[in-house]
């Protein structure tokens, strides 16, 4: 009978795109199974429990791990046809009432399904259970980590996956008689990212090593620009010679082309790790934030006389960093945070107003950026909450999130009435937090929705009034919920760590052409996702929790995977 289950699974492999959907649909011939429970009193049917056991054995979960997962993931219950989460005792009892032959059948079916899913290309061999030997693990003072050799050997399989499903989504649409294939160019760019090199350094390395698959830097940059352009699109003059309005319009076209590629690569990555939907937590949160990639050129010929440089890149804007005004390109991202795999789901280039530009220079709104990022993210995951920093404090931003049926939370700048509220808190013995209910938020002079202002002691001793203020559109936060709600905001720090890693992957360039800058950030974000994918898959093999500290650090990824890319390209 196990053979019949596996055969049906094989026929389904070309109809489903994930192992989880395969397990949902595979036929279980219940009449051939022996379950001695009283079926009139059993809460969970024989078919549900049999399917559950196959799922358990495919993923090598203990009964307690399985019970915890079912308690936290409603979608699993729906797939198994269960009215409520079974306890560990329910699982153990039902399993004890299956005959030995039934257990053998289900165990054989689980092994067969896993191997068939792999053979049919539904999952890669990186998802097959791995058992690292003692030699593959390095012990440090506070944790065990995988050796670089283990990461390289296992990670190279992930890179193969990336080359097929990540890199392949980026196309330059050049003529068929091209000398260098897109994959070769992308390998060179990956090398530049992983070593923080440049087009020039990669070209020089190819010349010095007499490598035929290394192109010169001008060819390299020309193809990189074409990755950002739609088929047949041409620019008759250098990009920096166009007006600000034209640059912004072109940038929208470049963004659409590149994001098509990035979104397809992201979907491939998510399909790879969605063998049991790692984003189906009870509460899924995402963080949205801006980051700046420095551009170390002054925008003024004479600032006192307000004379700007005519050829200054329009997408560069000023920002405050480390207490001083800096200049750089601005990008916004949305990233899953909290208890899920921290994958970047979407990227948006941002055009801000700058003092050296004409007053009528176009600029994007934060609300539009947030709306587009949420639209992308909600294609992949069922979001519940959005976390933002105080730079997004805006009625339009909050209205955009609220209209999507999502909860938002962000710190807010403190105003005079907030100091008054803080003073009232301090005047009450035994009270260190407070909530102001039903604060109105209006759009165009009309009430849009109400929100809650939360006042809690600040962790930063230098903070004004030693209190932090948060705003959220949750329904009526009670005083005993304040701490829990505000503490959950710390999950947003995932995105700060993300930016450090993405910037570590950025190659060097002095190009003023925004196509090069946009592609660079997009590809660095893809490498970040591949690092997270690598770490996730190694953790699967080692039986580690998804959100435990990285087994594969970014530094290890650069060393191990970078070497493979150079040799495999």
């Amino acid at each position: 009978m196990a053979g019949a289950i596996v055969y049906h699974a094989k026929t389904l492999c070309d109809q489903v795109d994930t192992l989880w959907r395969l397990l949902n649909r595979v036929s279980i011939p219940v009449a051939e199974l022996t379950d001695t429970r009283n079926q009139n009193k059993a809460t969970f049917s024989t078919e549900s429990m049999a399917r559950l056991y196959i799922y358990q054995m495919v993923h090598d979960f203990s009964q307690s791990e399985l019970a915890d997962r079912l308690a936290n993931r409603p979608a699993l219950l729906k797939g198994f046809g269960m009215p409520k989460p079974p306890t560990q005792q329910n699982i153990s009892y039902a399993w004890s009432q299956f005959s030995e032959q039934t257990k053998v059948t289900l165990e054989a079916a689980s092994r067969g399904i896993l191997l068939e899913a792999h053979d049919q290309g539904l999952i890669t061999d990186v998802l097959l259970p791995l058992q690292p030997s003692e030699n593959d693990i390095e012990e440090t003072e506070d944790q065990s980590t995988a050796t670089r050799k283990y990461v390289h050997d296992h990670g190279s399989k992930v890179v193969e996956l990336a080359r097929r499903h990540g890199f392949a989504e980026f196309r330059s649409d050049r003529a068929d008689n091209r000398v260098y294939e897109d994959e070769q160019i992308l390998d060179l760019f990956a090398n530049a990212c992983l070593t923080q090199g440049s087009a020039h350094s990669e070209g020089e390395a190819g010349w010095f090593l007499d490598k035929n698959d290394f192109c010169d830097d001008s060819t390299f940059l020309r193809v990189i620009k074409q990755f950002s352009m739609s088929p047949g699109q041409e620019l008759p003059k250098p990009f920096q010679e166009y007006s600000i309005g034209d640059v912004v319009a072109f940038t929208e076209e470049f963004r659409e082309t590149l994001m098509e590629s990035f979104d397809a690569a992201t979907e491939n990555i998510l399909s790879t790790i969605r063998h049991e939907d790692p984003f189906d937590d009870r509460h899924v949160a995402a963080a949205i934030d801006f980051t700046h990639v420095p551009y170390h050129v002054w925008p003024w010929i004479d600032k006192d006389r307000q004379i700007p440089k005519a050829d200054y890149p329009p997408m560069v804007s000023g920002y405050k960093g480390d207490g001083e005004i800096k200049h750089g390109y601005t990008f916004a991202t949305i990233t899953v945070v909290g208890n899920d795999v921290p994958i970047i789901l979407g990227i948006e280039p941002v055009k801000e107003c700058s003092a050296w530009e004409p007053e009528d220079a176009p600029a994007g709104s934060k609300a539009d950026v947030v709306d587009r990022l949420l639209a992308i993210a909600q294609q992949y995951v069922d979001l519940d909450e959005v976390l933002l920093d105080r730079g997004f404090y805006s009625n339009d931003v909050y209205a955009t999130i609220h209209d999507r049926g999502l909860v938002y939370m962000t710190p807010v700048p403190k105003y005079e009435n907030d100091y008054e509220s803080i003073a009232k808190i301090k005047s009450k013995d035994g009270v260190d937090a407070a909530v102001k209910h039903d604060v109105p938020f209006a759009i165009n002079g009309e009430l849009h929705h109400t929100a809650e202002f939360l006042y809690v002691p600040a962790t930063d001793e230098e903070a004004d009034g030693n209190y932090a203020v948060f705003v959220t559109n949750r329904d009526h936060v009670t005083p005993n919920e304040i701490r829990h709600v505000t503490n959950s905001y710390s999950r947003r720090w995932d995105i700060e760590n993300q930016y450090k890693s993405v910037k570590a992957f950025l190659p060097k360039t002095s190009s003023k052409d925004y196509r090069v800058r946009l592609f660079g950030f997009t590809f660095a974000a893809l490498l970040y996702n591949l690092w997270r994918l690598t770490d996730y898959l190694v953790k699967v093999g080692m039986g580690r929790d998804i959100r435990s500290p990285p087994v594969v650090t970014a530094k290890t990824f650069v060393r191990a995977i970078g070497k493979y890319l150079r040799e495999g390209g």
Side-chain angles (χ1 to χ4, degrees):
M1 192 185 78
I5 297 175
V6 174
Y7 180 79
H8 185 236
K10 180 179 180 179
T11 64
L12 291 173
C13 282
D14 61 353
Q15 302 174 33
V16 297
D17 57 358
T18 67
L19 179 57
W20 165 234
R21 291 191 176 96
L22 176 63
L23 295 176
N24 270 343
R25 292 181 56 181
V26 69
S27 178
I28 308 292
V30 179
E32 304 297 325
L33 303 178
T34 301
D35 178 2
T36 61
R37 291 179 301 157
N38 185 334
Q39 297 300 307
N40 294 324
K41 295 183 178 180
T43 303
F44 308 103
S45 69
T46 299
E47 180 181 351
S48 292
M49 296 308 291
R51 200 177 299 276
L52 178 63
Y53 291 133
I54 292 176
Y55 175 83
Q56 177 186 357
M57 286 178 277
V58 161
H59 295 288
D60 195 27
F61 290 142
S62 67
Q63 290 182 352
S64 61
E65 289 173 328
L66 182 63
D68 288 343
R69 180 158 295 218
L70 292 170
N72 289 306
R73 300 193 172 181
L76 289 180
L77 295 178
K78 183 178 179 181
F80 292 130
M82 293 180 164
K84 64 179 183 178
T87 64
Q88 182 180 349
Q89 290 73 24
N90 293 146
I91 297 170
S92 178
Y93 175 72
W95 185 235
S96 69
Q97 299 305 301
F98 277 15
S99 70
E100 288 303 317
Q101 182 56 50
T102 294
K103 294 177 184 178
V104 170
T105 296
L106 295 178
E107 288 172 354
S110 68
R111 289 194 298 271
I113 288 174
L114 186 59
L115 294 173
E116 198 62 55
H118 169 252
D119 291 343
Q120 296 295 318
L122 190 62
I123 61 174
T124 66
D125 52 358
V126 292
L127 287 179
L128 296 178
L130 298 176
Q131 296 297 327
S133 69
E134 293 182 2
N135 294 331
D136 292 325
I137 305 299
E138 291 178 339
E139 297 293 340
T140 61
E141 292 183 1
D142 55 351
Q143 62 183 323
S144 301
T145 60
T147 63
R148 286 206 295 270
K149 182 181 184 304
Y150 175 80
V151 173
H152 179 272
D153 292 344
H154 188 49
S156 63
K157 300 172 185 177
V158 180
V159 176
E160 291 174 17
L161 184 73
R163 292 163 67 86
R164 291 199 308 271
H165 300 309
F167 291 9
E169 299 296 345
F170 292 84
R171 303 180 183 88
S172 65
D173 295 300
R174 290 171 292 145
D176 292 337
N177 63 350
R178 56 185 179 263
V179 176
Y180 302 100
E181 294 297 324
D182 286 350
E183 188 179 73
Q184 291 175 281
I185 300 296
L186 291 170
D187 276 349
L188 291 175
F189 198 87
N191 284 333
C193 288
L194 296 173
T195 62
Q196 290 196 307
S198 64
H200 178 71
S201 67
E202 291 302 311
E204 284 292 298
W207 167 79
F208 182 74
L209 298 173
D210 196 24
K211 293 268 190 175
N212 292 329
D213 55 353
F214 278 60
C215 61
D216 61 79
D217 55 353
S218 60
T219 300
F220 189 18
L221 285 174
R222 185 171 65 253
V223 179
I224 291 304
K225 294 172 187 176
Q226 287 180 274
F227 282 126
S228 304
M229 299 173 68
S230 57
Q233 185 181 20
E234 294 184 3
L235 295 182
K237 58 183 180 180
F239 188 64
Q240 58 267 28
E241 293 182 12
Y242 287 90
S243 68
I244 294 176
D246 286 339
V247 167
V248 173
F250 280 132
T251 296
E252 174 59 27
E253 296 180 31
F254 302 153
R255 184 208 69 83
E256 185 172 341
T257 300
L258 265 184
M259 289 311 106
E260 246 180 56
S261 301
F262 181 82
D263 292 347
T266 300
E267 176 60 33
N268 290 334
I269 290 172
L270 296 182
S271 293
T272 301
I273 62 177
R274 204 193 296 269
H275 54 295
E276 40 67 38
D277 200 347
F279 301 117
D280 188 35
D281 247 342
R282 177 171 291 178
H283 187 86
V284 179
I288 295 177
D289 207 351
F290 290 148
T291 191
H292 306 281
V293 178
Y295 181 69
H296 303 289
V297 178
W298 185 246
W300 301 98
I301 294 176
D302 188 329
K303 185 176 181 181
D304 293 336
R305 297 168 60 191
Q306 294 290 291
I307 303 175
K309 293 177 180 175
D311 62 345
Y312 200 73
M315 295 300 290
V316 173
S317 55
Y319 65 96
K320 193 171 183 179
D322 300 325
E324 59 180 284
I325 298 298
K326 299 182 178 181
H327 305 90
Y329 295 90
T330 304
F331 300 95
T333 64
I334 184 167
T335 304
V336 174
V337 296
N339 297 320
D340 298 303
V341 182
I343 296 293
I344 300 173
L345 299 179
I347 301 170
E348 282 290 319
V350 179
K351 172 68 178 73
E352 299 181 294
C353 296
S354 300
W356 53 86
E357 294 179 330
E359 291 184 1
D360 60 350
S365 76
K366 291 180 179 178
D368 287 343
V369 168
V370 168
D371 192 49
R372 290 167 74 154
L373 288 174
L374 289 174
I376 294 170
Q378 288 184 302
Q379 295 177 35
Y380 305 125
V381 297
D382 293 326
L383 287 179
D384 297 293
E385 183 176 12
V386 184
L387 307 173
L388 311 98
D389 76 2
R390 60 172 48 86
F392 286 89
Y393 186 85
S394 158
N395 287 23
D396 289 337
V397 168
Y398 296 152
T400 295
I401 300 171
H402 190 84
D403 285 344
R404 286 183 171 273
L406 301 174
V407 171
Y408 62 75
M409 184 170 181
T410 175
V412 301
K414 289 194 286 288
Y415 301 103
E416 186 173 344
N417 59 337
D418 292 314
Y419 289 112
E420 294 174 1
S421 299
I422 292 169
K424 290 179 181 178
I425 299 172
K426 290 183 173 182
S427 67
K428 298 179 180 179
D429 291 337
V431 176
D432 66 351
V435 56
K436 183 188 296 183
H437 299 298
D438 301 326
V439 177
F441 280 85
I443 299 294
N444 298 324
E446 295 186 4
L447 177 66
H448 184 274
H449 69 280
T450 61
E452 309 281 275
F453 271 51
L454 311 178
Y455 300 84
V456 293
T459 55
D460 180 2
E461 293 182 359
E462 301 300 322
D464 291 338
N466 291 328
Y467 265 74
V469 185
F470 293 87
V471 62
T472 178
N473 61 334
R474 283 178 174 82
D475 290 334
H476 202 81
V477 178
T478 61
N480 61 350
E481 292 177 315
I482 296 173
R483 286 288 189 172
H484 172 73
V485 171
T486 55
N487 286 342
S488 68
Y489 183 76
S490 62
R491 292 173 294 178
R492 198 194 71 83
W493 284 105
D494 279 355
I495 205 168
E496 302 295 341
N497 295 326
Q498 162 203 294
Y499 287 143
K500 292 178 183 178
S501 300
V502 170
K503 290 177 181 179
F505 290 141
L506 281 173
K508 296 177 182 177
T509 182
S510 58
S511 176
K512 293 182 180 180
D513 195 307
Y514 192 64
R515 289 170 291 182
V516 176
R517 301 286 184 162
L518 180 57
F519 180 85
F521 187 86
T522 301
F523 200 80
L526 175 63
L527 289 176
Y528 170 86
N529 280 352
L530 293 175
W531 164 48
R532 287 299 190 179
L533 171 64
T534 304
D535 181 60
Y536 171 79
L537 294 177
V538 172
K539 283 176 179 173
V540 168
M542 298 176 69
R544 292 289 187 85
D545 182 72
I546 292 175
R547 296 296 300 179
S548 61
V551 172
V552 183
T553 65
K555 188 175 182 180
T556 299
F557 179 80
V558 168
R559 290 178 177 176
I561 306 304
K563 182 175 184 296
Y564 175 84
L565 278 169
R566 289 192 292 277
E567 292 178 349

